[in-house]
Amino acid sequence: MGHKPNTLKVKHRRGLWSPDEDRKLRDYIINNDRASWSSIPAKAGLQRNGKSCRLRWINYLRPGLKRGTFTLEERETVLTLHRMLGNKWAEISKHLPGRTDNEIKNYWHSNLKSRNSVKNEVSQSPSAARQISSSMSSICLQSLKTANNGSSLMGTSSVGTTACQPDTPATKFASETLTPKLLFAEWFSPDRRQQEFPDFLGGYGEHPNDCLNPITSFPDYLLEELSFEEGSFCSNFNAPDGLNFPSPYELQGLISGEEEFDSTQKIDYINFSDIHECKSCL
DNA sequence: AAGAATTCCAACCGCGGTCTA
DNA sequence: TTAGACCGCGGTTGGAATTCT
């Protein structure tokens, strides 16, 4: 991070962004190597400060952002993760492809905050809590079970047979009400993405956290493969040659913290339609 | 129809952490 | 070691849009 003193005293524009400003910022970022945010406004011909540009890009202009109302699944994910993490909006947004921390925060304040207190009362009931927990965890369990049967979820890599047995790390993990979206997001974590797609940031990958959203900086062929229609995170997905994902066995190790992911190991690809089908069983 | 109240969300603000000279 | 520049995050605000009376 070069720290050149910012000697230019510019009267910065504030308020809503015009389409022309959006175009200038987008064009500049897409067509140029990543510079510091404070230098971008001048180079892009904008009378904004760098902070404002950064916010506009992250929350509005970035490719891969999902607009529109939150799906039921997203809503549940927000509720679950907020229960686990509190107001860690950036953390929560990592598990919601296409959603920004700001969007999630706004959604929480306008839709969930007041209603959640009611829901909390419901979840105080052990049976209600069990029901919610089991319905969400069954998704994970079913996915892992499918994988263990040697069918399509994880392909044909060497798979242990313990994932669905009681008290295994995977079972424990699933029983803690994590949804498949969490698993999904872990595979596509910013760190791994940074390692595996260093060239897909459009000159924007100086820091892994520059693009917190796991999907945002994906190459086009991945964005095309991953369907982000309302109501669905999962679609048939065949990774191109050279991409590796953890096998269920590795996954168990990752979940339990016993193993580190070895991205060099060749494994087969994920068919997310199984997760999708599983969700429809709920 | 019109003013008031409410909702929603884009944008701003301030703080803390990181990095570099 | 320290000061200053920068970045990212969470909290807050302001105004446009919508709903209510």
Side-chain angles (χ1 to χ4, degrees):
Chain A
M1 227 187 280
H3 295 152
K4 285 173 281 186
N6 191 356
T7 52
L8 290 174
K9 278 289 174 191
V10 181
K11 181 73 179 176
H12 298 303
R13 233 178 82 81
R14 296 180 57 174
L16 294 177
W17 281 65
S18 67
D20 189 50
E21 288 178 306
D22 281 345
R23 185 184 51 76
K24 284 179 178 175
L25 180 60
R26 189 190 296 110
D27 287 351
Y28 181 82
I29 290 176
I30 288 173
N31 295 322
N32 294 277
D33 286 340
R34 166 73 194 278
S36 72
W37 282 111
S38 56
S39 69
I40 284 178
K43 291 176 179 173
L46 294 163
Q47 293 189 314
R48 298 273 179 173
N49 64 26
K51 211 169 180 176
S52 181
C53 290
R54 176 184 161 270
L55 206 66
R56 186 64 179 171
W57 173 255
I58 288 174
N59 288 335
Y60 200 83
L61 298 175
R62 263 190 325 182
L65 288 179
K66 218 179 164 186
R67 316 297 303 177
T69 54
F70 278 57
T71 65
L72 191 62
E73 289 146 329
E74 289 175 307
R75 177 197 167 92
E76 286 304 321
T77 303
V78 172
L79 284 168
T80 302
L81 289 173
H82 188 269
R83 236 174 275 141
M84 293 164 63
L85 302 170
N87 295 357
K88 301 288 183 187
W89 307 117
E91 200 63 33
I92 293 171
S93 72
K94 291 176 189 172
H95 301 286
L96 287 162
R99 301 293 188 186
T100 67
D101 56 349
N102 204 37
E103 197 176 10
I104 294 167
K105 182 170 58 181
N106 284 335
Y107 180 66
W108 170 261
H109 285 302
S110 58
N111 288 275
L112 302 178
K113 193 177 181 180
S114 55
R115 290 166 214 178
N116 193 42
S117 58
V118 176
K119 192 166 184 174
N120 279 341
E121 286 172 28
V122 173
S123 65
Q124 295 296 317
S125 152
S127 61
R130 254 197 313 279
Q131 198 172 353
I132 293 168
S133 175
S134 69
S135 69
M136 297 181 78
S137 61
S138 67
I139 299 167
C140 298
L141 286 172
Q142 181 66 37
S143 302
L144 290 165
K145 192 174 179 180
T146 307
N148 278 347
N149 286 341
S151 56
S152 57
L153 179 66
M154 287 293 186
T156 56
S157 52
S158 62
V159 171
T161 55
T162 58
C164 292
Q165 292 172 1
D167 302 317
T168 63
T171 310
K172 183 170 178 291
F173 170 77
S175 70
E176 289 171 358
T177 73
L178 295 170
T179 72
K181 290 186 285 299
L182 292 176
L183 295 170
F184 182 88
E186 286 304 319
W187 290 324
F188 290 95
S189 72
D191 288 342
R192 285 202 50 220
R193 184 195 63 234
Q194 182 70 12
Q195 290 167 14
E196 297 184 11
F197 309 117
D199 298 324
F200 294 132
L201 295 171
Y204 215 73
E206 190 174 334
H207 303 292
N209 285 343
D210 277 342
C211 300
L212 288 175
N213 193 293
I215 292 305
T216 301
S217 302
F218 270 29
D220 288 340
Y221 62 77
L222 272 181
L223 287 170
E224 286 164 12
E225 289 284 351
L226 295 165
S227 167
F228 288 119
E229 293 168 22
E230 292 290 337
S232 171
F233 279 158
C234 306
S235 67
N236 293 326
F237 170 70
N238 295 303
D241 288 341
L243 294 184
N244 297 319
F245 296 99
S247 68
Y249 180 78
E250 289 172 304
L251 194 60
Q252 287 182 58
L254 289 168
I255 292 163
S256 65
E258 291 166 2
E259 293 183 15
E260 288 182 9
F261 175 62
D262 177 11
S263 63
T264 62
Q265 185 183 337
K266 178 70 178 174
I267 61 169
D268 291 306
Y269 302 135
I270 303 167
N271 182 349
F272 283 103
S273 62
D274 286 330
I275 299 176
H276 196 67
E277 286 166 14
C278 175
K279 280 192 294 187
S280 67
C281 297
L282 295 176

